[in-house]
Structures are given as structure tokens and as C-alpha cells.
Amino acid sequence: MHPFDEAIDLRASALSQAPHEFTGATHPAYANMVGPFGGTTAAQLLQSAMLHPERLGEPVALTVNFAAPVADGDIRLVARPVRTNRSTQHWIIEAHQAEGVVATATAVFAVRRETWSDVEAVMPANLPEPDALSRMPVKGMPAWPQRYDMRFLEGAFPTAFDEQEQTHSRSTLWVRDEPERALDFASLAALSDSFFPRIYIRRRRRAMIGTVSLTTYFHADRALLAQVGTRHVLGVAKALNYRHGYFDQTGELWSPEGQLLASTHQLVYFKE
């Protein structure tokens, strides 16, 4: 089994009085400096709704609020559909550990229909193929970056925190799971959090940080994800503002053919 599939392997509660509950655990392959990689936590929250027998359609939006540090170990997930309409379904999901709720999420699922479609976002053009670029070295980094094949065109994680402040925090890279894994909604949710904190790219200095809230909009359906398969996707990320101990970062994930798969936005706490 792929390490990511192990990380999102949830078991439904056997208790008849807890039909909305699933159990899982953090995974050492996705460890961060403290606790787990937030992308896998987001994927676990989404997966609990994906596995729910009452689920309708496919995910179109997921917002995760990290209420407390997630500790290594078991996680209990509670996923409840709070409103089901003809073509949309709204969810509230919680992640519990011994100390209480560590993360909450809201999700929207929908039955997609064929409509007029267009895109105003612009994918960077004239890019080299992933094979023409070297994979980012991961020696000495936490476990989770080792689970991604990242090939940067700009804005790589600093090789040295030399405090040489940059004029922007933009990153452009090809990225996929390592080892290869076919893209699905859970891995797309995790990829949406795989952009390194923008303050590291901008200021090239260490700072204590923590994601407070992460929202991902899924523009792809299952068929489009199947077309991507195990290939690299293009990631683009930047920040818009840093102020009073918080900054945001926004990102886009594109298929090799130029289809926007997901857009994401998060708010990050930092301390100096």
C-alpha cells in the first residue's frame, strides 16, 4: 500500500450509536517538524466524508480549521452531513484526540452537471517538462517533503536561511506524490497544503509558524483526475499580505494540459 493510502486508511466505527465516526492515525511518513503534515490531516477529514455511506456527489470545497496542535497517534473523526439538497450536500467534520477537538472542517459536495465552462486564471506558459528539472533535495528535511517529488522553476525552499529578503514569495514547481500515485480528491487536498510557508521564501529566515485555516476549492471532477493519473501537476503559490503575526498564501494546481484542478487559500500564524 502507498504510504499516503496508509495515512488516510480510516476504519468505520463498529458502534451502532456512532454511525458517523471513523478512526485513523498519524503516519510517520508524513511527519512534520512538530506533529503531522497538515495536508494529511486535511485529507483524513475529507476522506471521512468520502467514505460515509450517505455521501452525495464529489467534493467541491473543503475548509479546515486547525484548532490545536495534532499529536502523533490515534485520531477519531466525526463526519456529519448537515444538509442534503437535490444536488449539493453540506458537511461538518471534526478530528478528536485525547485532549479534545484538534481540527474542524466544513465541506461541500455536489453532483456535477455539464455546463458552459471557461477559466480566467492563466497557467504559466513555456515551462520545461518535469524531467528537464532536478528534484528538490530532501536530505535533512522532515519526513513529509520526502513523500513529494518537487521540481522547482522558482521559489524553492531556501538552501540556507541567510536572511536575504526577497521581493516576492512566488513559487512555481512541478509536483507529484513520491512514490508515484494516481491523483484523487484526497491526494489533491493534501497537495494543496504542500506549498512551503511563504514567509520562508520571502524572508529566508526561520520563524515559528502554524496554519490556522486552509480552504481548497476542487475544480476537477473524477474524470479529469483520472486523466492526470500519476503525472506531475503544476503548482503556483504566492502570499498577498503579512501583518500582525499572520500571513496568507494562495495557490493553484494545474494539470499538464492546462486544466485548473484546484485553488487554495490559507491563513498562517507566525511568531518572531
Side-chain angles (χ1 to χ4, degrees):
M1 185 181 290
H2 192 282
F4 185 76
D5 292 301
E6 294 176 352
I8 63 169
D9 184 23
L10 306 181
R11 299 171 297 282
S13 173
L15 301 176
S16 59
Q17 63 268 36
H20 303 288
E21 292 192 7
F22 298 82
T23 57
T26 59
H27 195 290
Y30 292 91
N32 206 343
M33 291 180 288
V34 178
F37 166 49
T40 52
T41 302
Q44 288 173 327
L45 288 157
L46 180 66
Q47 186 73 349
S48 67
M50 294 289 295
L51 295 175
H52 200 289
E54 297 177 27
R55 173 175 63 87
L56 173 74
E58 300 175 346
V60 295
L62 174 70
T63 295
V64 177
N65 295 316
F66 295 90
V70 180
D72 293 330
D74 294 339
I75 302 175
R76 179 169 62 92
L77 298 124
V78 182
R80 291 188 176 90
V82 295
R83 176 73 185 230
T84 300
N85 301 313
R86 180 178 300 177
S87 60
T88 61
Q89 190 175 56
H90 299 260
W91 291 78
I92 293 178
I93 313 167
E94 298 174 349
H96 295 253
Q97 290 190 303
E99 299 301 317
V101 173
V102 293
T104 64
T106 58
V108 180
F109 283 66
V111 176
R112 297 178 183 269
R113 294 186 172 89
E114 288 297 325
T115 64
W116 172 84
S117 300
D118 198 6
V119 59
E120 292 191 14
V122 179
M123 178 180 173
N126 302 317
L127 301 176
E129 295 294 322
D131 289 345
L133 301 168
S134 298
R135 182 184 174 190
M136 182 191 76
V138 293
K139 183 178 180 181
M141 300 189 75
W144 78 263
Q146 301 177 41
R147 298 278 66 81
Y148 291 99
D149 182 334
M150 300 181 180
R151 300 174 183 238
F152 282 87
L153 291 89
E154 62 174 338
F157 190 81
T159 56
F161 286 91
D162 55 16
E163 301 192 8
Q164 298 299 308
E165 187 166 319
Q166 308 298 297
T167 58
H168 65 80
S169 64
R170 187 174 57 250
S171 291
T172 305
L173 71 152
W174 291 105
V175 57
R176 71 178 177 195
D177 285 290
E178 176 61 38
E180 295 179 15
R181 180 186 181 277
L183 190 64
D184 58 18
F185 289 111
S187 59
L188 186 58
L191 275 171
S192 295
D193 192 38
S194 66
F195 300 108
F196 293 111
R198 298 296 91 195
I199 197 167
Y200 290 169
I201 312 302
R202 174 68 186 274
R203 302 194 73 193
R204 296 174 67 94
R205 63 184 297 181
R206 297 188 183 278
M208 292 180 59
I209 62 96
T211 299
V212 177
S213 185
L214 167 66
T215 295
T216 299
Y217 299 113
F218 302 94
H219 305 296
D221 59 9
R222 195 181 305 273
L224 180 53
L225 296 183
Q227 291 176 20
V228 175
T230 62
R231 294 180 295 162
H232 288 82
V233 300
L234 184 76
V236 181
K238 65 179 181 180
L240 300 180
N241 191 68
Y242 310 83
R243 182 171 295 150
H244 299 159
Y246 294 89
F247 67 91
D248 68 335
Q249 59 185 50
T250 183
E252 303 163 3
L253 292 166
W254 296 83
S255 76
E257 290 77 28
Q259 294 287 333
L260 186 60
L261 303 172
S263 54
T264 182
H265 209 84
Q266 65 177 272
L267 184 70
V268 183
Y269 160 82
F270 71 94
K271 182 179 180 180
E272 294 187 304

